[in-house]
Amino acid sequence: MGILAFRALDREEAFLEKSMQASLRTEVSSTASLIQNEMDLITEDLDRSLAIPDKFIPFTRPEKQAIENPLVGIVFAVSNKKEILWPKNSNTLSEQEKLFLYFNSALFTDSITIPIVKNITREYREEIIQSPKNDLDNTNDISLAKEETKPITNDIAAPGDDDVNTAAEESDAKYSANERRSVAAADEGLVQTENDYFRGMDSSVQRAEPASPSISTSKTKKVFSQEKEATEEVMKNFEESAPIRDKIYEQAEKAGAQVLKRNVVVDVSKKPEEKEDRSVFILSPGTFSDITAKENRGLFPRIIGDRFELLFWKKTKEGHFLGCVIDEELLQDRITAILPELSNSRRILTVLDENAEPIAQPEGIDINWRQPFVAQEIHEALPRWEVAAYMSDPEYIHTEAVSTTNTLWVIISALLFFLLVGGVIIISFLMQEIRLAEQKTSFVANVSHELKTPLTSIRLFAEMLVSGVKTARKKQDEYLRLMLTETERLSRLIGNVLDFQAMAQHKKRYNKRTCDFVACLKQAVDSETLRLEKEGITLRFTTRLKKLMGEFCPESLMRVIINLVSNAEKYAESGKEVTISLQKVESKAIIQVMDRGPGIPAWAAKKIFKAFYRIDDSSEAKSQGSGLGLAIVNRIIRDHNGTITVQNREGGGSCFTISLPLSGS
Ligand code: ADP
C-alpha cells in the first residue's frame, strides 16, 4: 500500500496536467470548429457579394460602393482562356492593385506552380486508414499519394534556393521598369520565394491537430457531418501513432511536398523526442487550375514572403473566374468576434496568426505566446494559425499537485501513525496477556504451595497427637495452637481466592451499613495480635478518636486490614513492628498500615495492586504468595469509593494509606 501511495504521489502532477490538458483541448477544439464554420459563412457571404456580371467579357470592374461586403478587397477576374481581365494593367491602377498583379499574374495564367496548403490527413486518408498501428515494417509497400502531383516547377522544399522565385521573375518580365520600381519601393524585401514564409520559423510542437474539411465544399449538412466523423477517425489514428505519422510525412516529402513546422511549442514538459513539431498541413506544388479544379468556389492562402493573403474565388458556368483579396484586418475582426471569453480564472484563450502573434488578447497579459499549454491548427486557408490556450496561473498545476500531495501525505502519515499506535497497543495487549497467563500459572503453583504448607503442618501435628507418643501437656497445647494458626492461614487464603473469584464475576456483595471505624479496626487488630505476638511481631493500633462512624461493610474492611497485616508479617520480618492508625481528615477516614520491612520500590507502587502481580515471582522467592491479597484490598476500597496508595516510610518500611468517605458514597 505504501509503495502504491508513493507512486500515486509521484504521478499526481502528471495526472493533473493531463486532465487540464484534456479539458482545454476540448475548448480549443470547439473554438477551432467555430472558426471553421465562420470561414464557411465568410465564403458564402463573399459568394453572394461578388455577383457575376451578365456580360463577363469585356469585364467591367464592379463599383466599390456596389459591393456591400467590407471583406472584399482587390477584385480580380480571369477569363476561361486564362487571360487576366481585371486588374487591367493601366496607369489608373492603385499601388495595391499593381502589387497584386505583380505577384499573381503568372499564377492566374497557369505559368507557375505555387505551394498549395493541404491537410495531410485528407491527402493521405486511405494510407492512414490502411496503416495498422503496430505493423509498420513494410512502409515501402504503401502506395504513394492517390492524386498525381504535378511536376514541380519551383522546388519549394529545397532550402537555399535562389531567392527570387519563378513567379516574381515572370512577373518582372511582364511589367515595365516603372512599375517594377514602384512595386519594389512599395514593399521592399517582400519579394521572396513562397517557401520563405515558412523557412526558419520556430520548430517544436507536440502533435498535429485536426483541421476541418475544406470550406469550399458544397455538400449537404448530413454528408458533411458523416465526412467530419470519418475525418476525425483518421485524425485520431494519425495523432495517436508516431510511426504512422513518420511514414505518412516521409511519403509526402517523397512526393515533393514540404511539411510545415508549427510555430508554437506545446507540451513543454515533454521530452524533445516525444514532441511532434510537424504541422498537419503540407505544401504541395500546384497551379491555379489545380486549386480550382474540383470546386466552384473556395478560399486559398496566397503565400507572399513572410505573410500570406487570403483569396476568394468563384467559377462561372463558362469557366471564368471572379474573386477578391480578403481584407485581413476585417477577417481578424470577424474571427475575434466569435471567440469565447479570452481570459478567465483558469485559462487564456486566443488565436495566433502566422507569426504566432495573438489576433486578440486580454489586457495586461504578457506571456510567451509561442508556448501555449494546448494548441490546435485551424484551417487550410489559415496556414500556421492556431487556437491556443494558456494557463492563467502557470503555477496552478504545481500548486494544486503540491496541495493534493500534501493532503495525501497527511492522510498516509495519519494512517501510518494509527497503524503504528494500533500495532503498539496490540503488542502491549498481547504482552499483557502473556504476562497474565504466566502469572496465572505461577498463581496455581503458589496457591498449591500455600495450601500444602499449612496442610502438611496440620497433618504432622495431628499425627503426633494421634500417635500416642507421650507428650507433655504444654507441648500438646502448643501443637494444637499451631494447628489453629495454620487453619486460619488456610481459611484466609481460601477466603481470598473465593473473594477474588466473586469479584471477577461481579458477584461480590457488600453488607454496607453504618458502623464505627474504631471498633472495626480494634476487632481486626485483636484478632491478629495474639498470632503476631507468637511470631515476635508487635501490632499496635493508634488513634485519638473514640468513635468514627461511617458507612461500610465491616467484614470487608477487616479483610483489608488482615490482608495488609499478614503482608507486613510476611515481607517485613526484619521490622517486627506493625502500626495501624486512624484519623479523620475532612469527611474522610484515613487508615494507615505501616511496617518496617524492605518497603516497595517506586516503580512497583501501582503494579502491586494488580491481580497476580508479585514483585519477586521466582521460585527462589523468600516468601510465597498468590498475588491476590492487594488486588482484593484495592477492589474492596474502590467499591467503597475510596483510594489506597503506598509510600515508603522515613527510616525504612512501607506505609499503605487508605482513604474512605465517611458517607459511603
Ligand atoms: P502476595 O502477598 O500473595 O504475593 P499481594 O497482592 O498481597 O500478593 O502482594 C503483592 C506484592 O506486593 C507482593 O508479592 C510483595 O512483593 C509486595 N508487598 C506487599 N506488601 C508488602 C509489604 N508490606 N512490604 C513489602 N512488599 C510488600
Side-chain angles (χ1 to χ4, degrees), residues 567 570-571 595 599-600 608 613-615 625-627 629-630 654 656:
N567 268 358
K570 207 162 30 166
Y571 301 108
D595 63 50
I600 311 266
I608 54 171
Y613 186 82
R614 309 196 67 236
I615 294 178
S626 59
L630 291 181
S654 52
F656 287 86

Side-chain angles (χ1 to χ4, degrees), residues 379-432:
H379 200 280
E380 284 152 333
L382 301 169
R384 289 172 69 87
W385 279 43
E386 307 241 2
V387 178
Y390 309 77
M391 298 226 280
S392 296
D393 172 13
E395 288 298 299
Y396 170 79
I397 284 178
H398 183 68
T399 335
E400 273 294 291
V402 166
S403 90
T404 315
T405 307
N406 285 348
T407 318
L408 275 175
W409 264 116
V410 170
I411 293 170
I412 289 167
S413 310
L415 275 177
L416 286 177
F417 174 76
F418 288 126
L419 274 178
L420 212 74
V421 170
V424 168
I425 291 173
I426 289 170
I427 288 170
S428 68
F429 180 73
L430 284 176
M431 301 281 280
Q432 214 175 323

Side-chain angles (χ1 to χ4, degrees), residues 419-599:
L419 274 178
L420 212 74
V421 170
V424 168
I425 291 173
I426 289 170
I427 288 170
S428 68
F429 180 73
L430 284 176
M431 301 281 280
Q432 214 175 323
E433 286 293 300
I434 291 169
R435 222 175 14 245
L436 208 66
E438 279 171 5
Q439 284 172 344
K440 278 182 182 167
T441 317
S442 91
F443 162 78
V444 173
N446 288 345
V447 168
S448 314
H449 182 82
E450 292 259 297
L451 290 173
K452 211 175 157 193
T453 316
L455 267 179
T456 316
S457 310
I458 293 167
R459 192 177 161 186
L460 190 77
F461 295 129
E463 274 174 4
M464 281 167 80
L465 291 173
V466 168
S467 66
V469 179
K470 275 207 169 170
T471 321
R473 175 78 198 160
K474 218 173 146 192
K475 265 278 185 226
Q476 280 183 1
D477 286 350
E478 192 190 329
Y479 288 163
L480 285 171
R481 230 183 3 261
L482 281 170
M483 283 169 78
L484 196 67
T485 316
E486 291 303 304
T487 319
E488 277 169 4
R489 216 169 110 188
L490 258 181
S491 65
R492 217 172 30 248
L493 178 66
I494 291 167
N496 268 349
V497 172
L498 290 176
D499 257 6
F500 181 75
Q501 169 103 12
M503 285 167 180
Q505 293 173 354
H506 303 282
K507 286 181 183 159
K508 173 77 182 161
R509 295 280 170 266
Y510 298 100
N511 186 9
K512 287 185 188 171
R513 52 196 189 268
T514 309
C515 295
D516 180 12
F517 276 103
V518 180
C520 179
L521 291 182
K522 256 191 190 150
Q523 196 185 340
V525 168
D526 288 348
S527 72
E528 292 294 290
T529 312
L530 207 66
R531 190 172 56 82
L532 290 182
E533 259 174 14
K534 294 263 166 353
E535 302 278 326
I537 299 169
T538 321
L539 179 60
R540 280 195 294 147
F541 173 51
T542 59
T543 184
R544 289 185 182 164
L545 304 167
K546 291 227 159 58
K547 231 180 187 191
L548 181 61
M549 298 308 286
E551 206 179 289
F552 60 95
C553 169
E555 293 78 22
S556 297
L557 186 62
M558 276 184 57
R559 179 173 291 286
V560 167
I561 301 301
I562 290 169
N563 274 355
L564 290 174
V565 168
S566 64
N567 268 358
E569 176 194 351
K570 207 162 30 166
Y571 301 108
E573 281 169 302
S574 51
K576 306 291 179 201
E577 186 190 279
V578 179
T579 312
I580 298 173
S581 71
L582 173 68
Q583 291 168 46
K584 185 188 171 209
V585 177
E586 292 166 1
S587 58
K588 281 179 180 135
I590 307 294
I591 305 165
Q592 290 188 307
V593 179
M594 296 164 278
D595 63 50
R596 286 285 174 201

Side-chain angles (χ1 to χ4, degrees), residues 155-209:
D155 183 0
I156 58 160
D161 272 356
D162 194 342
D163 268 347
V164 182
N165 92 357
T166 323
E169 275 171 20
E170 292 194 7
S171 305
D172 268 3
K174 282 187 185 163
Y175 300 109
S176 68
N178 194 21
E179 283 168 333
R180 277 207 306 277
R181 260 200 308 281
S182 73
V183 162
D187 198 345
E188 224 177 283
L190 197 69
V191 187
Q192 297 170 40
T193 62
E194 279 82 348
N195 325 350
D196 286 344
Y197 172 76
F198 302 105
R199 203 176 276 163
M201 292 212 183
D202 230 62
S203 55
S204 69
V205 168
Q206 145 220 38
R207 51 207 273 199
E209 301 284 350

